[in-house]
Amino acid sequence: VQLQASGGGLVQAGGSLRLSCAASGRTVLSGVMGWFRQAPGKEREFVGLISWSGSSTYYADSVKGRFTISRDNAKNMVYLQMNSLKPEDTAVYYCATGTRLTTAASAYDYWGQGTQVTVSS
């Protein structure tokens, strides 16, 4: 499975961005999709996840109510809509896929290359 994250950029605080994650390969989007982020000097942290059917989502407290994950299995795409962005949201964002509904990065088998999101104050 290959994942390609895109859509990052520079945005002012309070603005919005939508990240996309395109999947390809033999097993495409058949599992849980997660989004993680890593800020400079910090460990990678969980942002949110969505089940295969899309019926279950779960978010980190820091983004709950501001970020929304959705997926289109027919297009092998997953999205992260980010609203009301804050400077502390600045990080490289990664999409990943796994088989378990978990916030643990170690449980995800395949990762995209990451896309930079920078929020200016």
Short mmCIF file of all heavy atoms in Angstrom, two decimals, residues 26-84:
data_model
loop_
_atom_site.label_atom_id
_atom_site.label_comp_id
_atom_site.label_asym_id
_atom_site.label_seq_id
_atom_site.Cartn_x
_atom_site.Cartn_y
_atom_site.Cartn_z
N ARG A 26 -2.05 -2.90 -3.68
CA ARG A 26 -2.87 -4.11 -3.70
C ARG A 26 -4.01 -4.06 -2.72
O ARG A 26 -5.12 -4.48 -2.99
CB ARG A 26 -1.97 -5.32 -3.41
CG ARG A 26 -2.69 -6.64 -3.45
CD ARG A 26 -1.66 -7.77 -3.45
NE ARG A 26 -0.78 -7.70 -2.31
CZ ARG A 26 -1.04 -8.26 -1.14
NH1 ARG A 26 -2.16 -8.90 -0.97
NH2 ARG A 26 -0.18 -8.16 -0.14
N THR A 27 -3.76 -3.55 -1.55
CA THR A 27 -4.81 -3.44 -0.53
C THR A 27 -5.09 -1.97 -0.31
O THR A 27 -4.33 -1.31 0.40
CB THR A 27 -4.37 -4.10 0.78
OG1 THR A 27 -4.00 -5.43 0.53
CG2 THR A 27 -5.51 -4.07 1.79
N VAL A 28 -6.09 -1.47 -0.92
CA VAL A 28 -6.33 -0.04 -0.88
C VAL A 28 -7.47 0.28 0.07
O VAL A 28 -8.56 -0.23 -0.05
CB VAL A 28 -6.63 0.51 -2.28
CG1 VAL A 28 -5.41 0.40 -3.15
CG2 VAL A 28 -7.81 -0.20 -2.93
N LEU A 29 -7.17 1.13 1.01
CA LEU A 29 -8.16 1.67 1.93
C LEU A 29 -9.11 0.60 2.47
O LEU A 29 -10.31 0.80 2.50
CB LEU A 29 -8.96 2.79 1.27
CG LEU A 29 -8.23 4.13 1.16
CD1 LEU A 29 -9.14 5.19 0.65
CD2 LEU A 29 -7.64 4.52 2.50
N SER A 30 -8.58 -0.53 2.87
CA SER A 30 -9.44 -1.57 3.40
C SER A 30 -9.45 -1.58 4.91
O SER A 30 -10.08 -2.42 5.53
CB SER A 30 -9.00 -2.94 2.89
OG SER A 30 -7.68 -3.19 3.31
N GLY A 31 -8.75 -0.65 5.51
CA GLY A 31 -8.66 -0.66 6.95
C GLY A 31 -8.95 0.69 7.57
O GLY A 31 -9.52 1.58 6.94
N VAL A 32 -8.52 0.80 8.79
CA VAL A 32 -8.65 2.06 9.53
C VAL A 32 -7.65 3.07 8.96
O VAL A 32 -6.52 2.71 8.61
CB VAL A 32 -8.35 1.82 11.02
CG1 VAL A 32 -8.35 3.12 11.80
CG2 VAL A 32 -9.36 0.83 11.60
N MET A 33 -8.09 4.29 8.84
CA MET A 33 -7.19 5.36 8.40
C MET A 33 -6.98 6.33 9.55
O MET A 33 -7.94 6.77 10.19
CB MET A 33 -7.78 6.08 7.20
CG MET A 33 -7.90 5.23 5.95
SD MET A 33 -6.30 4.60 5.35
CE MET A 33 -5.44 6.13 4.99
N GLY A 34 -5.76 6.66 9.78
CA GLY A 34 -5.43 7.59 10.85
C GLY A 34 -4.65 8.78 10.33
O GLY A 34 -3.97 8.69 9.30
N TRP A 35 -4.78 9.88 11.05
CA TRP A 35 -3.95 11.06 10.80
C TRP A 35 -3.13 11.33 12.05
O TRP A 35 -3.64 11.28 13.17
CB TRP A 35 -4.81 12.28 10.48
CG TRP A 35 -5.40 12.28 9.11
CD1 TRP A 35 -6.64 11.85 8.74
CD2 TRP A 35 -4.79 12.73 7.90
NE1 TRP A 35 -6.83 12.01 7.40
CE2 TRP A 35 -5.70 12.56 6.85
CE3 TRP A 35 -3.54 13.29 7.60
CZ2 TRP A 35 -5.41 12.91 5.53
CZ3 TRP A 35 -3.25 13.63 6.29
CH2 TRP A 35 -4.19 13.44 5.27
N PHE A 36 -1.87 11.62 11.82
CA PHE A 36 -0.95 11.95 12.89
C PHE A 36 -0.21 13.22 12.50
O PHE A 36 -0.22 13.63 11.34
CB PHE A 36 0.06 10.82 13.11
CG PHE A 36 -0.55 9.55 13.65
CD1 PHE A 36 -1.22 8.68 12.80
CD2 PHE A 36 -0.46 9.24 14.99
CE1 PHE A 36 -1.80 7.52 13.29
CE2 PHE A 36 -1.03 8.08 15.49
CZ PHE A 36 -1.70 7.22 14.63
N ARG A 37 0.45 13.83 13.46
CA ARG A 37 1.24 15.02 13.16
C ARG A 37 2.48 15.04 14.04
O ARG A 37 2.50 14.44 15.12
CB ARG A 37 0.43 16.29 13.34
CG ARG A 37 0.01 16.59 14.76
CD ARG A 37 -0.93 17.79 14.79
NE ARG A 37 -1.32 18.15 16.16
CZ ARG A 37 -2.21 19.09 16.46
NH1 ARG A 37 -2.82 19.77 15.49
NH2 ARG A 37 -2.52 19.35 17.72
N GLN A 38 3.48 15.73 13.54
CA GLN A 38 4.72 15.86 14.29
C GLN A 38 5.25 17.27 14.11
O GLN A 38 5.55 17.70 13.00
CB GLN A 38 5.76 14.84 13.83
CG GLN A 38 7.00 14.81 14.69
CD GLN A 38 7.85 13.58 14.43
OE1 GLN A 38 7.73 12.92 13.41
NE2 GLN A 38 8.73 13.26 15.39
N ALA A 39 5.34 17.96 15.23
CA ALA A 39 5.90 19.30 15.25
C ALA A 39 7.40 19.22 15.52
O ALA A 39 7.87 18.23 16.09
CB ALA A 39 5.20 20.14 16.32
N PRO A 40 8.16 20.25 15.13
CA PRO A 40 9.61 20.23 15.35
C PRO A 40 9.95 20.01 16.82
O PRO A 40 9.40 20.67 17.70
CB PRO A 40 10.05 21.61 14.88
CG PRO A 40 9.02 22.02 13.90
CD PRO A 40 7.73 21.45 14.39
N GLY A 41 10.82 19.05 17.08
CA GLY A 41 11.25 18.79 18.43
C GLY A 41 10.27 18.03 19.29
O GLY A 41 10.51 17.83 20.49
N LYS A 42 9.18 17.59 18.69
CA LYS A 42 8.17 16.86 19.45
C LYS A 42 7.94 15.48 18.85
O LYS A 42 8.29 15.23 17.71
CB LYS A 42 6.85 17.64 19.47
CG LYS A 42 6.93 18.97 20.21
CD LYS A 42 5.56 19.59 20.33
CE LYS A 42 5.61 20.88 21.14
NZ LYS A 42 4.26 21.51 21.29
N GLU A 43 7.34 14.63 19.64
CA GLU A 43 7.03 13.29 19.16
C GLU A 43 5.79 13.33 18.26
O GLU A 43 4.97 14.24 18.35
CB GLU A 43 6.79 12.36 20.34
CG GLU A 43 8.02 12.10 21.19
CD GLU A 43 7.79 11.06 22.25
OE1 GLU A 43 6.64 10.62 22.41
OE2 GLU A 43 8.76 10.67 22.92
N ARG A 44 5.70 12.32 17.43
CA ARG A 44 4.51 12.20 16.58
C ARG A 44 3.30 11.97 17.46
O ARG A 44 3.33 11.17 18.39
CB ARG A 44 4.69 11.04 15.60
CG ARG A 44 3.62 10.97 14.54
CD ARG A 44 4.01 9.97 13.46
NE ARG A 44 5.25 10.35 12.78
CZ ARG A 44 5.71 9.76 11.70
NH1 ARG A 44 5.03 8.74 11.15
NH2 ARG A 44 6.84 10.14 11.15
N GLU A 45 2.20 12.68 17.17
CA GLU A 45 1.02 12.55 17.98
C GLU A 45 -0.20 12.24 17.13
O GLU A 45 -0.30 12.63 15.96
CB GLU A 45 0.76 13.82 18.80
CG GLU A 45 0.41 15.04 17.99
CD GLU A 45 -0.03 16.21 18.86
OE1 GLU A 45 -0.22 16.04 20.08
OE2 GLU A 45 -0.19 17.31 18.29
N PHE A 46 -1.12 11.54 17.74
CA PHE A 46 -2.37 11.16 17.11
C PHE A 46 -3.26 12.38 16.91
O PHE A 46 -3.37 13.23 17.81
CB PHE A 46 -3.07 10.12 17.98
CG PHE A 46 -4.48 9.81 17.58
CD1 PHE A 46 -4.74 8.98 16.52
CD2 PHE A 46 -5.55 10.36 18.27
CE1 PHE A 46 -6.05 8.68 16.15
CE2 PHE A 46 -6.85 10.08 17.92
CZ PHE A 46 -7.10 9.23 16.85
N VAL A 47 -3.89 12.46 15.73
CA VAL A 47 -4.84 13.53 15.45
C VAL A 47 -6.27 12.99 15.39
O VAL A 47 -7.17 13.50 16.05
CB VAL A 47 -4.50 14.23 14.11
CG1 VAL A 47 -5.57 15.23 13.73
CG2 VAL A 47 -3.13 14.90 14.20
N GLY A 48 -6.46 11.94 14.59
CA GLY A 48 -7.79 11.37 14.46
C GLY A 48 -7.77 10.12 13.62
O GLY A 48 -6.76 9.81 12.98
N LEU A 49 -8.87 9.39 13.64
CA LEU A 49 -8.97 8.18 12.84
C LEU A 49 -10.40 7.99 12.35
O LEU A 49 -11.35 8.60 12.87
CB LEU A 49 -8.51 6.96 13.63
CG LEU A 49 -9.28 6.56 14.90
CD1 LEU A 49 -10.55 5.79 14.59
CD2 LEU A 49 -8.39 5.71 15.80
N ILE A 50 -10.52 7.15 11.33
CA ILE A 50 -11.84 6.82 10.80
C ILE A 50 -11.85 5.33 10.45
O ILE A 50 -10.87 4.80 9.94
CB ILE A 50 -12.18 7.70 9.57
CG1 ILE A 50 -13.61 7.47 9.11
CG2 ILE A 50 -11.18 7.47 8.43
CD1 ILE A 50 -14.08 8.53 8.10
N SER A 51 -12.96 4.69 10.74
CA SER A 51 -13.09 3.27 10.44
C SER A 51 -13.26 3.05 8.94
O SER A 51 -13.48 4.01 8.18
CB SER A 51 -14.29 2.69 11.19
OG SER A 51 -15.49 3.33 10.76
N TRP A 52 -13.19 1.79 8.52
CA TRP A 52 -13.30 1.49 7.10
C TRP A 52 -14.61 1.99 6.52
O TRP A 52 -14.65 2.57 5.44
CB TRP A 52 -13.19 -0.02 6.88
CG TRP A 52 -13.37 -0.38 5.43
CD1 TRP A 52 -12.40 -0.39 4.47
CD2 TRP A 52 -14.58 -0.77 4.78
NE1 TRP A 52 -12.94 -0.75 3.26
CE2 TRP A 52 -14.26 -1.00 3.42
CE3 TRP A 52 -15.89 -0.96 5.20
CZ2 TRP A 52 -15.22 -1.41 2.49
CZ3 TRP A 52 -16.85 -1.36 4.27
CH2 TRP A 52 -16.50 -1.57 2.94
N SER A 53 -15.69 1.80 7.25
CA SER A 53 -17.00 2.20 6.74
C SER A 53 -17.24 3.70 6.86
O SER A 53 -18.16 4.24 6.24
CB SER A 53 -18.10 1.46 7.50
OG SER A 53 -18.12 1.89 8.86
N GLY A 54 -16.44 4.34 7.68
CA GLY A 54 -16.65 5.76 7.93
C GLY A 54 -17.64 6.03 9.05
O GLY A 54 -17.87 7.19 9.39
N SER A 55 -18.19 4.99 9.62
CA SER A 55 -19.21 5.18 10.64
C SER A 55 -18.63 5.56 12.00
O SER A 55 -19.35 6.07 12.86
CB SER A 55 -20.05 3.91 10.80
OG SER A 55 -19.23 2.82 11.19
N SER A 56 -17.35 5.29 12.18
CA SER A 56 -16.71 5.61 13.46
C SER A 56 -15.53 6.53 13.24
O SER A 56 -14.69 6.27 12.38
CB SER A 56 -16.22 4.33 14.15
OG SER A 56 -17.30 3.49 14.47
N THR A 57 -15.50 7.59 14.01
CA THR A 57 -14.37 8.51 14.01
C THR A 57 -13.98 8.80 15.45
O THR A 57 -14.81 8.67 16.38
CB THR A 57 -14.68 9.83 13.31
OG1 THR A 57 -15.85 10.42 13.90
CG2 THR A 57 -14.92 9.63 11.82
N TYR A 58 -12.75 9.18 15.61
CA TYR A 58 -12.25 9.52 16.94
C TYR A 58 -11.15 10.55 16.77
O TYR A 58 -10.33 10.45 15.86
CB TYR A 58 -11.71 8.27 17.64
CG TYR A 58 -11.24 8.52 19.05
CD1 TYR A 58 -12.14 8.69 20.08
CD2 TYR A 58 -9.87 8.59 19.33
CE1 TYR A 58 -11.71 8.93 21.37
CE2 TYR A 58 -9.44 8.83 20.62
CZ TYR A 58 -10.36 9.00 21.63
OH TYR A 58 -9.93 9.24 22.91
N TYR A 59 -11.17 11.56 17.67
CA TYR A 59 -10.23 12.67 17.54
C TYR A 59 -9.50 12.92 18.85
O TYR A 59 -10.02 12.69 19.94
CB TYR A 59 -10.99 13.94 17.14
CG TYR A 59 -11.72 13.81 15.83
CD1 TYR A 59 -13.06 13.44 15.80
CD2 TYR A 59 -11.08 14.06 14.62
CE1 TYR A 59 -13.74 13.31 14.59
CE2 TYR A 59 -11.76 13.94 13.41
CZ TYR A 59 -13.08 13.56 13.41
OH TYR A 59 -13.75 13.44 12.22
N ALA A 60 -8.31 13.45 18.71
CA ALA A 60 -7.59 13.93 19.88
C ALA A 60 -8.34 15.13 20.45
O ALA A 60 -8.98 15.89 19.71
CB ALA A 60 -6.17 14.33 19.48
N ASP A 61 -8.25 15.29 21.75
CA ASP A 61 -8.95 16.39 22.40
C ASP A 61 -8.53 17.75 21.84
O ASP A 61 -9.33 18.68 21.76
CB ASP A 61 -8.70 16.36 23.90
CG ASP A 61 -9.43 15.23 24.60
OD1 ASP A 61 -10.38 14.67 24.00
OD2 ASP A 61 -9.05 14.90 25.74
N SER A 62 -7.28 17.84 21.43
CA SER A 62 -6.74 19.11 20.95
C SER A 62 -7.36 19.57 19.64
O SER A 62 -7.28 20.75 19.30
CB SER A 62 -5.22 19.01 20.80
OG SER A 62 -4.88 17.97 19.89
N VAL A 63 -7.98 18.65 18.90
CA VAL A 63 -8.55 19.02 17.60
C VAL A 63 -10.05 18.78 17.53
O VAL A 63 -10.69 19.14 16.54
CB VAL A 63 -7.86 18.26 16.45
CG1 VAL A 63 -6.34 18.45 16.51
CG2 VAL A 63 -8.22 16.78 16.45
N LYS A 64 -10.59 18.18 18.56
CA LYS A 64 -12.01 17.84 18.56
C LYS A 64 -12.87 19.09 18.36
O LYS A 64 -12.63 20.13 18.99
CB LYS A 64 -12.37 17.14 19.87
CG LYS A 64 -13.66 16.35 19.84
CD LYS A 64 -13.81 15.56 21.12
CE LYS A 64 -12.71 14.52 21.29
NZ LYS A 64 -12.89 13.71 22.51
N GLY A 65 -13.82 19.00 17.45
CA GLY A 65 -14.68 20.13 17.15
C GLY A 65 -14.14 21.05 16.09
O GLY A 65 -14.87 21.91 15.58
N ARG A 66 -12.87 20.88 15.73
CA ARG A 66 -12.25 21.73 14.70
C ARG A 66 -11.87 20.92 13.46
O ARG A 66 -11.91 21.44 12.35
CB ARG A 66 -11.01 22.42 15.25
CG ARG A 66 -11.27 23.32 16.44
CD ARG A 66 -10.01 24.11 16.81
NE ARG A 66 -8.91 23.24 17.22
CZ ARG A 66 -7.72 23.25 16.65
NH1 ARG A 66 -7.46 24.04 15.62
NH2 ARG A 66 -6.77 22.43 17.10
N PHE A 67 -11.49 19.68 13.67
CA PHE A 67 -11.03 18.83 12.57
C PHE A 67 -12.08 17.76 12.30
O PHE A 67 -12.73 17.25 13.22
CB PHE A 67 -9.72 18.14 12.91
CG PHE A 67 -8.52 19.05 12.98
CD1 PHE A 67 -8.63 20.43 12.96
CD2 PHE A 67 -7.24 18.50 13.06
CE1 PHE A 67 -7.52 21.26 13.03
CE2 PHE A 67 -6.12 19.31 13.11
CZ PHE A 67 -6.27 20.69 13.11
N THR A 68 -12.20 17.39 11.03
CA THR A 68 -13.14 16.34 10.62
C THR A 68 -12.47 15.42 9.60
O THR A 68 -11.89 15.91 8.62
CB THR A 68 -14.41 16.92 10.01
OG1 THR A 68 -15.03 17.81 10.94
CG2 THR A 68 -15.39 15.81 9.66
N ILE A 69 -12.55 14.12 9.85
CA ILE A 69 -12.01 13.14 8.92
C ILE A 69 -13.16 12.52 8.14
O ILE A 69 -14.20 12.17 8.71
CB ILE A 69 -11.24 12.04 9.66
CG1 ILE A 69 -10.05 12.63 10.42
CG2 ILE A 69 -10.73 10.99 8.67
CD1 ILE A 69 -9.31 11.62 11.26
N SER A 70 -12.94 12.34 6.85
CA SER A 70 -13.91 11.65 6.01
C SER A 70 -13.15 10.78 5.01
O SER A 70 -11.93 10.93 4.85
CB SER A 70 -14.81 12.65 5.27
OG SER A 70 -14.04 13.50 4.44
N ARG A 71 -13.86 9.89 4.38
CA ARG A 71 -13.20 9.02 3.41
C ARG A 71 -14.15 8.71 2.26
O ARG A 71 -15.37 8.69 2.45
CB ARG A 71 -12.69 7.74 4.08
CG ARG A 71 -13.75 6.81 4.61
CD ARG A 71 -13.14 5.72 5.47
NE ARG A 71 -12.26 4.85 4.71
CZ ARG A 71 -11.38 4.00 5.26
NH1 ARG A 71 -11.28 3.92 6.57
NH2 ARG A 71 -10.63 3.22 4.49
N ASP A 72 -13.55 8.45 1.12
CA ASP A 72 -14.29 8.04 -0.07
C ASP A 72 -13.61 6.77 -0.58
O ASP A 72 -12.62 6.85 -1.30
CB ASP A 72 -14.28 9.15 -1.11
CG ASP A 72 -15.14 8.82 -2.33
OD1 ASP A 72 -15.41 7.62 -2.58
OD2 ASP A 72 -15.52 9.74 -3.05
N ASN A 73 -14.11 5.63 -0.17
CA ASN A 73 -13.47 4.37 -0.52
C ASN A 73 -13.48 4.11 -2.02
O ASN A 73 -12.58 3.45 -2.56
CB ASN A 73 -14.11 3.22 0.23
CG ASN A 73 -13.80 3.26 1.71
OD1 ASN A 73 -12.86 3.93 2.15
ND2 ASN A 73 -14.57 2.55 2.51
N ALA A 74 -14.48 4.60 -2.70
CA ALA A 74 -14.54 4.40 -4.15
C ALA A 74 -13.39 5.09 -4.86
O ALA A 74 -12.94 4.65 -5.92
CB ALA A 74 -15.88 4.89 -4.69
N LYS A 75 -12.93 6.18 -4.26
CA LYS A 75 -11.82 6.94 -4.85
C LYS A 75 -10.50 6.67 -4.14
O LYS A 75 -9.48 7.27 -4.49
CB LYS A 75 -12.14 8.44 -4.79
CG LYS A 75 -13.33 8.86 -5.63
CD LYS A 75 -13.55 10.37 -5.54
CE LYS A 75 -14.73 10.79 -6.40
NZ LYS A 75 -14.97 12.27 -6.31
N ASN A 76 -10.54 5.81 -3.14
CA ASN A 76 -9.33 5.53 -2.35
C ASN A 76 -8.73 6.80 -1.75
O ASN A 76 -7.52 7.02 -1.79
CB ASN A 76 -8.28 4.81 -3.19
CG ASN A 76 -8.71 3.42 -3.57
OD1 ASN A 76 -9.38 2.73 -2.78
ND2 ASN A 76 -8.37 2.98 -4.76
N MET A 77 -9.61 7.62 -1.20
CA MET A 77 -9.18 8.90 -0.65
C MET A 77 -9.66 9.05 0.78
O MET A 77 -10.76 8.61 1.15
CB MET A 77 -9.73 10.06 -1.46
CG MET A 77 -9.23 10.14 -2.90
SD MET A 77 -7.47 10.55 -2.97
CE MET A 77 -7.50 12.22 -2.33
N VAL A 78 -8.85 9.71 1.59
CA VAL A 78 -9.22 10.10 2.94
C VAL A 78 -8.89 11.58 3.08
O VAL A 78 -7.91 12.06 2.52
CB VAL A 78 -8.45 9.28 3.99
CG1 VAL A 78 -8.81 9.74 5.40
CG2 VAL A 78 -8.75 7.81 3.84
N TYR A 79 -9.72 12.28 3.84
CA TYR A 79 -9.57 13.72 3.96
C TYR A 79 -9.51 14.13 5.44
O TYR A 79 -10.11 13.50 6.29
CB TYR A 79 -10.74 14.44 3.28
CG TYR A 79 -10.95 14.02 1.85
CD1 TYR A 79 -11.92 13.08 1.52
CD2 TYR A 79 -10.17 14.55 0.83
CE1 TYR A 79 -12.12 12.68 0.22
CE2 TYR A 79 -10.37 14.17 -0.49
CZ TYR A 79 -11.33 13.23 -0.78
OH TYR A 79 -11.51 12.83 -2.08
N LEU A 80 -8.78 15.20 5.68
CA LEU A 80 -8.75 15.82 7.00
C LEU A 80 -9.08 17.29 6.81
O LEU A 80 -8.26 18.06 6.31
CB LEU A 80 -7.38 15.66 7.65
CG LEU A 80 -7.22 16.32 9.02
CD1 LEU A 80 -8.14 15.66 10.05
CD2 LEU A 80 -5.76 16.22 9.50
N GLN A 81 -10.31 17.66 7.17
CA GLN A 81 -10.73 19.05 7.10
C GLN A 81 -10.34 19.73 8.41
O GLN A 81 -10.76 19.29 9.49
CB GLN A 81 -12.24 19.15 6.89
CG GLN A 81 -12.77 20.56 6.87
CD GLN A 81 -12.29 21.36 5.67
OE1 GLN A 81 -12.24 20.85 4.55
NE2 GLN A 81 -11.90 22.60 5.90
N MET A 82 -9.55 20.77 8.31
CA MET A 82 -9.06 21.46 9.49
C MET A 82 -9.58 22.89 9.49
O MET A 82 -9.27 23.67 8.58
CB MET A 82 -7.53 21.46 9.51
CG MET A 82 -6.94 20.06 9.41
SD MET A 82 -5.15 20.04 9.58
CE MET A 82 -4.66 20.94 8.12
N ASN A 83 -10.38 23.21 10.47
CA ASN A 83 -10.96 24.55 10.61
C ASN A 83 -10.43 25.21 11.89
O ASN A 83 -9.91 24.54 12.78
CB ASN A 83 -12.48 24.46 10.66
CG ASN A 83 -13.07 23.88 9.39
OD1 ASN A 83 -12.55 24.07 8.29
ND2 ASN A 83 -14.18 23.17 9.53
N SER A 84 -10.60 26.51 11.96
CA SER A 84 -10.18 27.27 13.14
C SER A 84 -8.76 26.92 13.54
O SER A 84 -8.46 26.65 14.71
CB SER A 84 -11.14 27.00 14.29
OG SER A 84 -12.46 27.34 13.95
#
